[in-house]
Amino acid sequence: MTRIFIGTSGWSYDHWKGDFYPAGLGKTRWFSFYAAHFNAVEINATFYRTFSPATLEKWRAQAPEGFRYALKAPRSATHDRLLLDCEADLSAFARLGMLLGERLGMFLLQVSPKTPCDPPRLLAALKAFPDPTRVGVEFRAPAWDCPEVIGLLEALGAAWVNVDSPAVRLGSRLTGPRAYLRLHGRQRWYASNYSDEELRQVAATVQELSERGAEEVYVFFNNDVGGYAPHNASRLQHWLNP
């Protein structure tokens, strides 16, 4: 039976206070409030800086049973070096992520739009992770949508990240045992509200992936501006569990 994980890209947003978070709720209690509503969160902060092992152990300890984290790979590897000669850094990042234990859901490898389509480069990056089936790859250039790349992901069991944004409509590609969906906002990047009809379409995509054999489906809303993300995630849960 497919396990479905729904959440947002981060949880610590000051502009969510008084909207998603009750006005009187202290910031130290935000995560426990978040985790009472959702069973997963995508951490974008790992893209920008390295966290200490103690922080990862804290994240593991604070998460309830069944909760999952997705960690975004560092920009030094994906956007500065464009996946070239970055295996050591990605391996170190993966080892850090493994401190989450069973709370680790996925790693997110976002390929910069400046990265030329180079399957061997991608293969080396994915092999830096101990379990490529726990890596979701988000491509930001259409050149990567080709049979050779899709075949590579299928061979390793890595997930093609299905993206919804002003530039791309949500697909349902399944290349491994886990599916990964990132919803950036359909009208404006990071700043548009999904309608109920659009969320029904997302729910239908999740159900389709489940029927096609996905063991786990991860869905993250990255439209945090305006506080849309948690409300859209909550509504999606309604459509999947009416």
Side-chain angles (χ1 to χ4, degrees):
M1 187 171 182
T2 305
R3 299 191 65 187
I4 299 172
F5 297 94
I6 298 173
T8 63
S9 298
W11 77 84
S12 186
Y13 294 104
D14 288 339
H15 58 279
W16 289 7
K17 186 173 183 178
D19 182 10
F20 175 63
Y21 295 120
L25 188 69
K27 202 167 187 176
T28 58
R29 298 169 59 194
W30 283 6
F31 181 81
S32 60
F33 183 90
Y34 176 94
H37 289 76
F38 307 114
N39 63 353
V41 69
E42 184 183 77
I43 305 294
N44 276 328
T46 51
F47 177 73
Y48 298 101
R49 63 188 181 96
T50 301
F51 288 83
S52 69
T55 297
L56 273 291
E57 290 165 358
K58 176 185 175 183
W59 289 348
R60 177 182 181 177
Q62 73 180 0
E65 185 175 353
F67 190 90
R68 296 292 184 270
Y69 291 95
L71 304 180
K72 189 175 181 180
R75 68 184 303 170
S76 59
T78 61
H79 285 58
D80 294 340
R81 294 206 298 280
L82 304 180
L83 297 182
L84 280 175
D85 301 320
C86 63
E87 293 86 351
D89 284 357
L90 290 176
S91 292
F93 172 68
R95 287 195 299 273
L96 188 68
M98 297 299 286
L99 294 175
L100 292 171
E102 62 183 14
R103 302 294 187 261
L104 174 65
M106 297 289 287
F107 293 105
L108 172 63
L109 189 71
Q110 186 184 74
V111 179
S112 166
K114 296 180 181 179
T115 308
C117 183
D118 182 358
R121 188 185 311 197
L122 176 62
L123 177 63
L126 287 171
K127 285 189 171 181
F129 293 87
D131 182 3
T133 72
R134 289 199 176 274
V135 182
V137 186
E138 181 183 11
F139 298 104
R140 287 294 182 92
W144 289 91
D145 190 353
C146 64
E148 187 175 0
V149 170
I150 295 168
L152 186 159
L153 295 179
E154 290 175 339
L156 294 178
W160 174 285
V161 174
N162 292 287
V163 170
D164 192 79
S165 75
V168 180
R169 286 295 171 265
L170 185 66
S172 58
R173 183 167 286 162
L174 183 64
T175 55
R178 298 174 177 86
Y180 200 125
L181 282 60
R182 294 194 89 207
L183 308 171
H184 298 294
R186 184 159 291 185
Q187 306 304 322
R188 292 186 297 157
W189 283 92
Y190 320 121
S192 65
N193 193 22
Y194 283 91
S195 68
D196 279 352
E197 178 56 33
E198 289 167 339
L199 292 172
R200 288 190 189 98
Q201 295 169 9
V202 176
T205 299
V206 173
Q207 291 168 339
E208 177 191 341
L209 290 164
S210 175
E211 292 168 0
R212 287 165 54 199
E215 297 174 8
E216 298 177 341
V217 179
Y218 292 82
V219 185
F220 294 109
F221 286 85
N222 193 28
N223 54 336
D224 68 271
V225 177
Y228 298 131
H231 297 296
N232 289 167
S234 180
R235 289 297 287 166
L236 178 62
Q237 289 181 148
H238 169 76
W239 294 121
L240 288 170
N241 300 288

